[in-house]
Amino acid sequence: MRGFAMRRIGEVGWVTREKPRPGPYDAIIRTLAVGICTSDQHTVYDGPLGELRLIMGHEAVGEVAEVGSEVKDFQPGDRILVGAVTPDWRTLECQRGWHQHSGGMLGAFKFTTTKDGVFAEYFHVNDADMNLARLPEAIPLESAVMVADMVPTGLHGVELAEPAFGAAVCVIGIGPVGLMAVAGAALRGAGMIIAVGSRPVSVEAAKHYGATHILNYKEGDIAHQVAALTGEQGVDAAIVAGGEKGGQGLFQAIRMTRPGGTIANVAYFSTGDTLPIPRADWGLGMGHKTIKGGLMPAGRHKLETFLSLLEFGRLDPARLATHVFHGMENIEEAWHLMRAKPADLIKPVVIY
Ligand code: NDP
Ligand code: ZN
């Protein structure tokens, strides 16, 4: 079968592989649609994980092609969603409540880091009964594929930030992840929702998803702009979904948050050995500002719960799919488009 892979740091291309086989608890999925993610671009072009030579891609919807002998709930032909994160549910880390880190730190993020990803004709999913989610017929592929990663990650930023009703929240970065954080903050009852970005396509989408104020990081220091908007109070929570370079997004989030506030990071810091904390704005170490950072949550129950937001009309991520390609071979063009991030792009999707 064909796949689109990392060849070495900074280089991608098509490869040929054997079709994967399932172990007793696993499934093989025939890919129907994929999304291209910024995280894969960090992995390939910044090389934080080394020279992987794996098939890229971790956002997919598909059809079950084959199941192992112990899989009970799914059978060939089922239309399913797979999370970017596929934990090993029989682990102590899961018992402790941290499925994202089953098998070690970030261990559940297997696609593209320790095994081939989904930019292939078929791919392998461990623990199928726990990691596949049933896809309601009514949800179109380009919306469903956003629930593999963009919806869980953006909403996880909000889960970490825990805004109270009426809280002031700032979302730093309004690519597809930040936009879902804006939508999530609105769903969770935030009051003022400040969105930080520059490209008009994202700005319009942020307003659509519930931003009450927009700030452009290219037009001056965003912590100062937030101070001006909030009567020098700052926000209750800042969600970081952009500004990875030099840890700028995190640095600004700490600056703009009130004493006692929460900084919730979901960005992937792929370069540098350390991240900056502004000493004075962190209250000289005593400001009661909590810094959290998390990999997206997944697993069947969580994904089916997120899908119910789409099914019952609470959240429509279709707007993120600004560029929809038809035909697997277009992964290559979509990949380079995601790297170039032209002004009209939020997220490319490829329907096989
Ligand atoms: P994008 O690159 O599409 O969006 C980034 C956003 O950040 C844009 O709105 C951009 O503005 C804005 N931005 C860039 N520089 C700055 C800056 N200095 N200050 C403030 N804002 C800035 O990213 P995605 O939405 O695709 O992904 C966001 C992050 O989430 C990435 O690091 C990605 O790897 C990570 N990620 C993490 C996951 C997890 O499980 N935690 C899962 C998936 C992704 P503009 O372009 O408008 O100028
Ligand atoms: Zn991703």
Side-chain angles (χ1 to χ4, degrees):
M1 66 167 197
R2 294 185 81 208
F4 189 74
M6 175 174 180
R7 288 216 173 110
R8 53 182 68 85
I9 293 171
E11 194 186 316
V12 285
W14 292 97
V15 294
T16 304
R17 290 273 208 277
E18 290 290 317
K19 185 179 163 192
R21 315 247 359 224
Y25 294 95
D26 309 338
I28 303 304
I29 308 301
R30 185 171 71 83
T31 317
L32 294 178
V34 297
I36 317 284
C37 183
T38 306
S39 298
D40 281 1
Q41 309 252 331
H42 288 321
T43 299
V44 169
Y45 297 108
D46 297 336
L49 308 174
E51 202 165 287
L52 293 171
R53 295 170 188 267
L54 293 172
I55 291 175
M56 289 288 111
H58 53 260
E59 304 177 0
V61 290
E63 189 182 278
V64 175
E66 210 181 322
V67 293
S69 58
E70 303 301 318
V71 174
K72 293 186 173 60
D73 296 345
F74 294 91
Q75 52 193 1
D78 288 349
R79 196 165 166 267
I80 54 84
L81 165 73
V82 187
V85 164
T86 50
D88 290 315
W89 289 95
R90 289 169 55 88
T91 55
L92 292 178
E93 290 88 356
C94 285
Q95 285 199 359
R96 287 174 53 230
W98 297 103
H99 67 269
Q100 292 97 324
H101 307 289
S102 63
M105 175 105 80
L106 307 176
F109 184 34
K110 295 171 186 287
F111 294 130
T112 75
T113 70
T114 56
K115 75 183 219 189
D116 277 334
V118 304
F119 293 166
E121 291 169 63
Y122 296 89
F123 62 91
H124 169 275
V125 178
N126 57 296
D127 211 344
D129 282 332
M130 294 290 100
N131 284 324
L132 302 180
R134 287 201 189 284
L135 201 52
E137 272 303 322
I139 301 178
L141 291 178
E142 56 268 39
S143 297
V145 78
M146 298 303 170
V147 187
D149 188 348
M150 301 297 96
V151 170
T153 302
L155 296 194
H156 192 50
V158 183
E159 289 176 332
L160 295 173
E162 298 184 272
F165 288 116
V169 175
C170 180
V171 178
I172 301 177
I174 44 173
V177 170
L179 287 168
M180 290 300 93
V182 168
L187 280 167
R188 283 280 283 246
M192 181 184 222
I193 302 176
I194 305 170
V196 180
S198 79
R199 288 176 302 142
V201 65
S202 299
V203 166
E204 283 315 306
K207 289 181 189 160
H208 168 81
Y209 284 122
T212 58
H213 298 76
I214 305 285
L215 296 180
N216 186 337
Y217 64 97
K218 294 179 176 168
E219 289 173 359
D221 184 292
I222 54 174
H224 287 158
Q225 296 187 61
V226 167
L229 276 179
T230 56
E232 306 301 320
Q233 293 299 302
V235 288
D236 296 296
I239 299 171
V240 184
E244 296 94 317
K245 216 167 195 169
Q248 262 307 303
L250 178 70
F251 182 79
Q252 292 289 27
I254 298 167
R255 290 182 65 209
M256 69 175 62
T257 306
R258 290 175 187 169
T262 302
I263 294 94
N265 181 74
V266 288
Y268 172 175
F269 294 114
S270 51
T271 56
D273 292 328
T274 58
L275 290 165
I277 292 179
R279 185 181 59 86
D281 288 311
W282 204 41
L284 314 176
M286 300 174 282
H288 288 111
K289 298 191 187 186
T290 304
I291 303 173
K292 301 181 186 175
L295 181 64
M296 60 160 266
R300 179 172 174 187
H301 174 263
K302 191 77 180 170
L303 293 172
E304 289 182 352
T305 310
F306 285 136
L307 281 168
S308 74
L309 287 171
L310 278 62
E311 195 180 0
F312 298 108
R314 300 275 181 212
L315 177 67
D316 181 7
R319 198 183 173 119
L320 303 181
T322 49
H323 294 63
V324 180
F325 294 86
H326 292 269
M328 178 190 177
E329 66 281 2
N330 291 307
I331 286 176
E332 187 164 6
E333 186 180 342
W335 172 277
H336 293 295
L337 193 71
M338 191 58 171
R339 189 176 186 204
K341 291 201 202 302
D344 61 343
L345 178 114
I346 298 178
K347 180 102 173 166
V349 168
V350 179
I351 300 191
Y352 277 36

